[in-house]
Amino acid sequence: MKEATYHKRQGCSWLKFLLCGAIMCVAFNFYLAQKLDRLANSPVANNNGETPADQTGKVPPPHSKSLPQGTQYSFDRKLAEAALSLHGRDAIFQPLRAYVEKKLNDTVPGTIDKGNLGEKRPKVEVGRPAKFYVPLPLRDGTPEDLKMFEYGHRLRSCNDMPAKLPVDRGFGKHVSRNVNNRDTFSSGKLNVWEEAKEGCPVNADPFLPWIHDMFPDEKGSAIHFIAQNKRRCNSGKAHWDDIHALEPQVTIMQPVSVKRIDETTARKLAPNLWSPAHESEGSNVRYRLAPHEEADADAMFTRFICRFRAMDYTKSPPELMTIGETLSTYAYNYEFVNYRKDLGDLSMLTPKGKDNPMFWQSQLRFSCPVPDSGDLQSTIASGKSVLSDGTPSVYVDVVPIRTAPRYGKKMSYFTPDMAGETLQISSEVFGWGDLSKNNVVHVNDVSSSSDIEHPPRRMKDGFDPRLFWGDKHVLPAIEASGRWENLPVCSPPGVGYDTAKDPTNIKEAESKNVEKKHKLTACLWASASFTTRGNAQAVSDTISRLIEWIEFHLLVGFDHIYVYDNTGAHTDETSLESTLFPRFLDSEVTRIDWPCRVCNNNIPAHENTGERSSQYAAENSCRARYGPYTEWMASFDTDEYLIPMGEYSNMREVVDDATKSEIQILTFKSTRAVPIRSYMELIEVIIVLCSQHCRPFHDHKDCGTESDPGCLSVQEGGLFAEVYNCDFEKSPKPSWAERAKKQLYRSDYVFAHYVHYATVTGGLLETKEKASHDWHTHFRESRSTDKFTDEIRQAVMLHTKTTVPEYTTEWKTRCKAGFKPAHGQNCRVGFPWPQNDEKSLEKATPDGFGYNCFTNEKLNLFWIPKLRDAIEKRNIRIDHLRNMNII
């Protein structure tokens, strides 16, 4: 009996064992299936750590599940951190990718007229656009037709933003020069696929915005993008083919209108387009190009589809989940800006390609509204979606809507409230008034809007969407579209430093009823060392200049300085971090790592002038990031000093009075100052003081020899503001000094600024319907809103650009009284007029050198002593920190 009971129990144990084993086997197979599914839907690295995109440029499109209908997004930080700890970063982080689409089939090959490429004037013989296919042919590509490039090896977390966005190849890896460059992609000397792999994909797919920066707003309601127009990097005949290929960089500045449709409607209108087989029919949102009167309310002026995705931490391992799609918005309507910039015709682009004088097209700003889903916006606003190691939990894909460009004002695409029912153009410049009739090739029957009644949203002339798009142009599914994918959504920038203990409510900073955090801030684009235009001179005094410049401007009333550190474009061995901190407090200075290279550093007179993309993008970023938190701001170089004059004791008082007078922009004329002779010494003095192993201060063929030096150098230890306090022009400065002007501006009024000019203002953006006064097509900023400062009683700018020793060659001859210089042989050494009186009978020094410049006495007597004292106090603080072993 006992034996029978024993065998019965033993059999039961074996059954339990087999049952447990079966359960474990099922669980293991389920885990293995999940693992294989993840591997199948993600790029597989080879032995070199490369993905298939690195080798072939093609990968299967990644698949993410959508948030179930009716479900709101929810984020649990503890759960997310636990997933990070359990699975590691690689299971969560989604690498940034670019999907490159083939060229748009929008124009008839061989029908473009390039114009006179040798003509310098931008409006003479600019050519004629290629003939358009109408309606625009459908984009019938599939996911397999796209080429994918991955940048996860560069941008690995939010800690890398924005410095490691794929703007260029990075220091030491460039294959093309940015000075005297004649290599082009069209010639084959440069390879677009190699450039896309190692640097930036925009030349391979110019509909992709050239993104330099991105960040959420303080409410988490939108992601703002800062991009540059890459078409402006080069100009001139040698680069025409590349410039022409980059026309979409301007096209994406021109708004389009779309209507949402479902998958069933999309397949009915365009049955030959690729559709996602894994989605149930009718479940996806699709889009159709549509005229304003048919477009959705939020889709009348858009250009990008924004798909938001986030990690689902309830799954183990976490899975990427689609939250929703929105349509992009512009910071302002670029086409409307272009329309109001000139009385006559003006085109955002020309076949000839010499469009660089239109500075307002240098920068592209757009935003992706964040879906209103659960706590998605609040999670982004708080920064909680970024995990402790910098790994983002939320991503956005930017999908360009691709169309042909619009040429000239007569193809402007507005609604009647913007500019009236008809376009007003005073003169025909280009001869393009017939583009809609004589420059089109019909590929299908299409009805023109001229035959249809004009609803409220449609103008009577201008761009005809029914002609150019038809009524069946369905956009491809996102999986079949070229795009940026997995752009990381990081934390809002705020004011640039920790304000947790500050009573100011930053989230209410943009409210007109709440005082902004700052009254006056400045943006600087600086580098520890750099070369001047044309790589003519190497400049290495930035660090000492930077310290003095910041100290001075904090002294005269600036609340905060934002330093965009471009050192990484010139070296990978240092940065401005140790220069700025801990010398300055976080509440005084914010550093933004900005290593992207200037794409063109030629001198202005060069055939290929191009533009300094990195500098202009930095200014654009600073305005967009920190403008909402400051009343007045400006972008300056470290050799430009703003000096309060008259009864003013700081610049805050200057802008306060300007605000009371309803002035929106304060403009400063700019002339060149030179170092005063008494602060300079012959190079031979430096050589004598050097040890036997010391080189001369500066080796240059025009500076003579050690035994017979011919150049001067600024002595060490002097303040730049003091040494260069010698301006060739006496205040008030002449009108020609407006050319290199600089400006302080109200951030709520100036929407875009380009080095010297406010290019887009609130007055320019005022529409006809909302105008509070007589509205005119051509807008010019009034002197009541943009005012030159009173240089005697208000404020003046001192431009202390470095005078390197070779600039002083033959100074003993060129600076003599009565010397008449040939072009380029002016004296570059300062001999101040006694008592600043140029009418004095005394014209020269006892040594016979002619007086040639004027000093600012308030700077000398009032500000320089204060500056020395401030620097000394700062040095004492730094010494104390060193003695305490804190630094």
Side-chain angles (χ1 to χ4, degrees):
M1 183 70 181
K2 289 181 179 180
E3 186 177 352
T5 303
Y6 167 77
H7 284 296
K8 185 176 181 182
R9 288 176 179 173
Q10 188 180 41
C12 183
S13 297
W14 276 104
L15 286 173
K16 288 182 178 180
F17 175 80
L18 290 174
L19 180 61
C20 290
I23 293 173
M24 290 179 65
C25 184
V26 170
F28 175 77
N29 286 334
F30 178 78
Y31 166 79
L32 186 61
Q34 277 196 318
K35 189 73 174 177
L36 290 173
D37 181 67
R38 286 178 59 83
L39 289 172
N41 287 285
S42 63
V44 182
N46 63 18
N47 292 333
N48 297 320
E50 296 176 328
T51 66
D54 294 315
Q55 305 165 66
T56 66
K58 294 186 178 183
V59 294
H63 175 62
S64 64
K65 297 179 180 179
S66 297
L67 191 70
Q69 191 171 3
T71 304
Q72 296 290 300
Y73 176 79
S74 178
F75 181 80
D76 186 326
R77 178 62 182 255
K78 291 183 179 179
L79 191 63
E81 291 290 349
L84 177 64
S85 177
L86 177 63
H87 300 287
R89 168 197 169 279
D90 290 344
I92 298 174
F93 178 71
Q94 303 298 311
L96 175 61
R97 299 184 178 114
Y99 286 85
V100 172
E101 188 173 333
K102 65 183 180 181
K103 187 178 180 296
L104 187 66
N105 180 30
D106 58 338
T107 56
V108 181
T111 58
I112 191 171
D113 177 0
K114 300 178 182 179
N116 179 10
L117 297 181
E119 172 60 56
K120 293 182 179 179
R121 294 176 59 194
K123 291 186 178 180
V124 177
E125 297 185 28
V126 296
R128 187 174 175 85
K131 292 186 176 182
F132 302 100
Y133 288 125
V134 295
L136 180 66
L138 294 174
R139 294 154 50 203
D140 56 359
T142 68
E144 288 72 27
D145 295 327
L146 303 175
K147 289 191 175 183
M148 190 275 278
F149 298 89
E150 187 172 297
Y151 305 100
H153 62 290
R154 293 175 54 173
L155 200 163
R156 299 180 59 81
S157 78
C158 283
N159 298 330
D160 294 333
M161 290 288 288
K164 294 187 179 179
L165 283 167
V167 174
D168 56 34
R169 289 178 178 241
F171 173 73
K173 300 176 183 178
H174 299 289
V175 295
S176 61
R177 298 177 297 172
N178 64 353
V179 171
N180 297 325
N181 175 36
R182 298 186 67 84
D183 294 340
T184 64
F185 291 100
S186 57
S187 68
K189 291 185 178 180
L190 302 177
N191 186 291
V192 291
W193 306 119
E194 192 68 23
E195 183 67 20
K197 173 186 173 184
E198 301 295 337
C200 170
V202 172
N203 284 94
D205 187 346
F207 275 98
L208 297 176
W210 193 24
I211 299 172
H212 284 60
D213 194 7
M214 58 174 288
F215 51 89
D217 67 4
E218 78 285 350
K219 297 178 182 177
S221 60
I223 311 302
H224 299 314
F225 291 87
I226 308 300
Q228 287 296 112
N229 177 358
K230 207 170 195 295
R231 188 173 187 255
R232 297 174 63 87
C233 278
N234 292 294
S235 62
K237 186 176 181 179
H239 293 271
W240 184 87
D241 288 300
D242 283 3
I243 294 169
H244 176 59
L246 286 166
E247 281 187 352
Q249 287 284 282
V250 180
T251 306
I252 57 177
M253 293 182 172
Q254 300 173 333
V256 294
S257 49
V258 299
K259 182 177 178 59
R260 292 176 178 85
I261 56 176
D262 57 30
E263 183 67 34
T264 301
T265 303
R267 293 185 182 187
K268 181 178 179 181
L269 293 175
N272 294 327
L273 285 188
W274 179 89
S275 294
H278 59 265
E279 295 288 346
S280 59
E281 189 171 0
S283 63
N284 274 356
V285 176
R286 297 290 295 274
Y287 306 87
R288 172 177 71 84
L289 288 174
H292 284 140
E293 63 271 18
E294 296 178 11
D296 294 329
D298 65 338
M300 291 177 62
F301 297 97
T302 188
R303 181 51 80 167
F304 304 100
I305 301 168
C306 307
R307 179 172 66 177
F308 283 83
R309 302 192 291 177
M311 299 309 299
D312 182 358
Y313 292 111
T314 64
K315 301 292 194 301
S316 184
E319 295 179 358
L320 191 63
M321 173 177 56
T322 299
I323 305 300
E325 296 172 15
T326 61
L327 292 167
S328 69
T329 61
Y330 288 102
Y332 47 85
N333 190 310
Y334 288 87
E335 199 167 32
F336 186 68
V337 166
N338 183 78
Y339 180 72
R340 299 202 70 195
K341 280 286 186 179
D342 198 290
L343 277 171
D345 203 358
L346 192 65
S347 184
M348 291 183 69
L349 74 168
T350 65
K352 182 178 177 179
K354 282 187 174 287
D355 315 320
N356 282 27
M358 293 184 284
F359 305 124
W360 55 92
Q361 292 178 189
S362 171
Q363 308 160 345
L364 170 61
R365 282 176 53 201
F366 67 94
S367 300
C368 283
V370 176
D372 184 10
S373 177
D375 56 10
L376 178 61
Q377 294 185 6
S378 61
T379 300
I380 293 173
S382 67
K384 293 179 180 178
S385 62
V386 181
L387 304 188
S388 55
D389 68 341
T391 299
S393 299
V394 182
Y395 302 84
V396 59
D397 304 338
V398 172
V399 189
I401 299 172
R402 300 166 189 247
T403 62
R406 299 193 286 268
Y407 291 87
K409 286 187 178 181
K410 290 193 174 181
M411 289 187 77
S412 297
Y413 188 40
F414 303 147
T415 48
D417 61 300
M418 297 170 66
E421 289 196 352
T422 59
L423 298 171
Q424 302 297 320
I425 304 170
S426 62
S427 60
E428 174 67 57
V429 176
F430 304 112
W432 295 345
D434 65 337
L435 289 182
S436 295
K437 294 182 178 179
N438 300 325
N439 213 64
V440 297
V441 174
H442 294 268
V443 292
N444 280 309
D445 291 335
V446 60
S447 60
S448 172
S449 63
S450 59
D451 302 326
I452 302 173
E453 183 182 354
H454 292 277
R457 286 183 174 181
R458 183 188 298 163
M459 296 182 69
K460 293 181 178 179
D461 57 4
F463 178 73
D464 185 345
R466 292 187 184 276
L467 171 65
F468 283 91
W469 299 340
D471 55 8
K472 297 181 180 180
H473 191 99
V474 177
L475 302 181
I478 289 179
E479 291 82 356
S481 301
R483 63 194 182 275
W484 282 111
E485 186 175 82
N486 296 334
L487 287 157
V489 175
C490 301
S491 302
V495 294
Y497 58 93
D498 186 11
T499 59
K501 298 179 181 180
D502 197 294
T504 305
N505 188 343
I506 299 301
K507 289 187 177 183
E508 296 180 354
E510 286 193 318
S511 171
K512 293 182 179 180
N513 298 322
V514 178
E515 184 178 351
K516 290 193 175 186
K517 171 65 182 174
H518 293 141
K519 184 184 294 294
L520 180 60
T521 62
C523 307
L524 278 178
W525 179 75
S527 173
S529 62
F530 65 95
T531 56
T532 58
R533 287 182 182 270
N535 290 349
Q537 306 295 337
V539 179
S540 58
D541 63 3
T542 301
I543 290 178
S544 52
R545 275 192 175 277
L546 181 63
I547 291 172
E548 178 184 321
W549 192 96
I550 292 176
E551 198 71 73
F552 180 84
H553 286 85
L554 291 174
L555 182 66
V556 300
F558 279 76
D559 297 315
H560 200 82
I561 312 294
Y562 298 100
V563 179
Y564 279 68
D565 185 356
N566 192 232
T567 303
H570 307 278
T571 177
D572 56 3
E573 296 180 355
T574 187
S575 76
L576 295 176
E577 177 74 22
S578 59
T579 298
L580 297 171
F581 309 108
R583 172 173 289 275
F584 298 104
L585 304 178
D586 290 345
S587 59
E588 296 173 320
V589 175
T590 295
R591 172 185 170 269
I592 300 92
D593 191 13
W594 198 260
C596 46
R597 183 181 71 155
V598 168
C599 66
N600 190 311
N601 201 35
N602 287 324
I603 61 174
H606 199 281
E607 177 203 12
N608 177 12
T609 52
E611 72 176 24
R612 299 164 63 80
S613 55
S614 176
Q615 179 183 2
Y616 306 154
E619 181 179 23
N620 190 12
S621 168
C622 192
R623 159 64 189 81
R625 274 179 174 260
Y626 307 115
Y629 307 106
T630 184
E631 292 181 32
W632 289 81
M633 69 188 311
S635 290
F636 288 102
D637 297 326
T638 55
D639 57 9
E640 296 165 333
Y641 289 75
L642 293 193
I643 306 166
M645 298 294 289
E647 299 298 320
Y648 289 102
S649 61
N650 61 65
M651 291 301 300
R652 293 170 64 87
E653 295 173 354
V654 174
V655 298
D656 277 343
D657 282 355
T659 301
K660 292 175 185 176
S661 301
E662 298 186 348
I663 295 170
Q664 308 289 351
I665 304 167
L666 284 172
T667 299
F668 299 81
K669 294 178 182 177
S670 178
T671 54
R672 183 70 58 83
V674 290
I676 300 172
R677 172 66 183 92
S678 59
Y679 292 103
M680 305 182 78
E681 56 192 351
L682 284 168
I683 292 181
E684 64 177 342
V685 176
I686 301 174
I687 295 170
V688 171
L689 295 177
C690 282
S691 67
Q692 60 178 349
H693 301 294
C694 185
R695 321 179 40 189
F697 173 79
H698 190 83
D699 291 331
H700 195 278
K701 62 182 180 63
D702 295 332
C703 285
T705 63
E706 290 189 22
S707 59
D708 185 22
C711 296
L712 292 172
S713 174
V714 173
Q715 297 172 4
E716 293 185 7
L719 295 174
F720 291 97
E722 182 177 30
V723 171
Y724 285 84
N725 185 11
C726 202
D727 203 310
F728 282 144
E729 300 297 330
K730 188 176 183 179
S731 294
K733 297 176 182 180
S735 58
W736 59 259
E738 299 177 17
R739 290 177 297 180
K741 64 188 178 183
K742 286 300 180 76
Q743 296 177 322
L744 280 175
Y745 58 85
R746 291 182 63 85
S747 61
D748 289 343
Y749 184 75
V750 174
F751 288 78
H753 199 273
Y754 182 90
V755 187
H756 306 292
Y757 317 100
T759 55
V760 181
T761 66
L764 177 69
L765 296 177
E766 192 172 44
T767 61
K768 187 171 184 177
E769 185 175 274
K770 294 184 178 180
S772 57
H773 49 80
D774 290 340
W775 189 89
H776 302 282
T777 301
H778 182 217
F779 174 81
R780 283 187 177 179
E781 203 67 50
S782 167
R783 282 301 179 202
S784 63
T785 55
D786 180 354
K787 194 168 182 118
F788 283 100
T789 58
D790 183 330
E791 297 172 351
I792 307 298
R793 301 178 183 85
Q794 193 175 25
V796 68
M797 185 172 77
L798 179 69
H799 190 182
T800 68
K801 188 170 184 177
T802 298
T803 296
V804 294
E806 58 265 33
Y807 289 171
T808 68
T809 185
E810 299 181 359
W811 69 276
K812 292 181 181 179
T813 300
R814 297 178 182 181
C815 297
K816 282 290 185 180
F819 175 74
K820 295 182 179 180
H823 178 70
Q825 294 184 352
N826 291 350
C827 174
R828 300 288 289 272
V829 181
F831 296 91
W833 285 95
Q835 289 78 49
N836 280 339
D837 184 8
E838 75 278 20
K839 296 179 181 179
S840 170
L841 296 176
E842 187 181 353
K843 303 296 183 183
T845 69
D847 295 328
F849 297 108
Y851 296 126
N852 59 3
C853 59
F854 304 87
T855 58
N856 185 316
E857 290 307 304
K858 184 167 183 180
L859 178 61
N860 268 342
L861 301 176
F862 184 80
W863 291 112
I864 293 299
K866 286 181 174 292
L867 178 59
R868 288 190 186 281
D869 184 56
I871 292 175
E872 180 60 25
K873 288 181 179 178
R874 190 84 65 172
N875 288 338
I876 291 173
R877 174 178 168 271
I878 294 299
D879 290 340
H880 176 70
L881 293 176
R882 287 197 181 100
N883 292 335
M884 297 291 290
N885 292 321
I886 296 176
I887 59 173

